[in-house]
Amino acid sequence: MQVNVRNKGSITILDIEGKIIGPDALALKSIIDQQIQTLSSEAEHGENLNLILNMERVQMMDSTGLGILVATYTTIRRNDGRVVLLNLGGNIRSLIVMAKLMTIFDCYNTEAEAIGHFL
């Protein structure tokens, strides 16, 4: 699994590629935790915690991956931030729907729509 971190203004975008299962899911959690820590220190200076998880190149995700998404959402919301999911593939979307998580996540098909969510 690979994660590319980029910023668009006050929005951090994580481009995730590969499978979010087992040890890779835990590696993703570590990367997200580092980003949240960075964003939290910036939030103390008036910036909001705005995170987009681009899942376009994620082929597979298991329950550990789902747990990481929920933990990320919870942590960011506690810090007055927002997280959205971008480019969910059919398998990942189905998994999130079956887990009844579509009601908590805002999901977008284009990066422009996702960025617009924060404006």
Side-chain angles (χ1 to χ4, degrees):
M1 181 199 61
Q2 294 181 340
V3 179
N4 179 46
V5 179
R6 25 185 203 113
N7 293 298
K8 294 256 180 158
S10 64
I11 302 165
T12 299
I13 302 169
L14 300 183
D15 297 310
I16 305 165
E17 183 174 348
K19 298 177 182 177
I20 306 175
I21 58 173
D24 286 337
L26 298 176
L28 176 61
K29 179 169 180 9
S30 176
I31 292 167
I32 291 173
D33 287 346
Q34 289 171 349
Q35 290 303 310
I36 290 173
Q37 186 175 16
T38 300
L39 293 170
S40 293
S41 66
E42 291 172 3
E44 292 174 5
H45 298 92
E47 294 287 329
N48 287 333
L49 292 154
N50 297 320
L51 183 65
I52 296 174
L53 300 177
N54 182 1
M55 313 272 288
E56 182 175 21
R57 297 182 186 264
V58 174
Q59 297 101 10
M60 183 185 302
M61 184 167 57
D62 64 6
S63 60
T64 305
L66 282 175
I68 288 165
L69 292 181
V70 171
T72 299
Y73 175 85
T74 303
T75 301
I76 288 181
R77 291 298 298 165
R78 264 193 231 133
N79 290 291
D80 297 323
R82 294 177 289 174
V83 59
V84 301
L85 303 179
L86 174 62
N87 294 320
L88 294 177
N91 293 337
I92 305 302
R93 182 176 293 277
S94 295
L95 182 62
I96 291 173
V97 166
M98 285 190 303
K100 300 186 189 300
L101 296 175
M102 288 300 281
T103 57
I104 67 166
F105 287 108
D106 292 314
C107 302
Y108 297 94
N109 294 320
T110 69
E111 189 171 300
E113 290 174 335
I115 290 171
H117 173 84
F118 297 107
L119 302 177

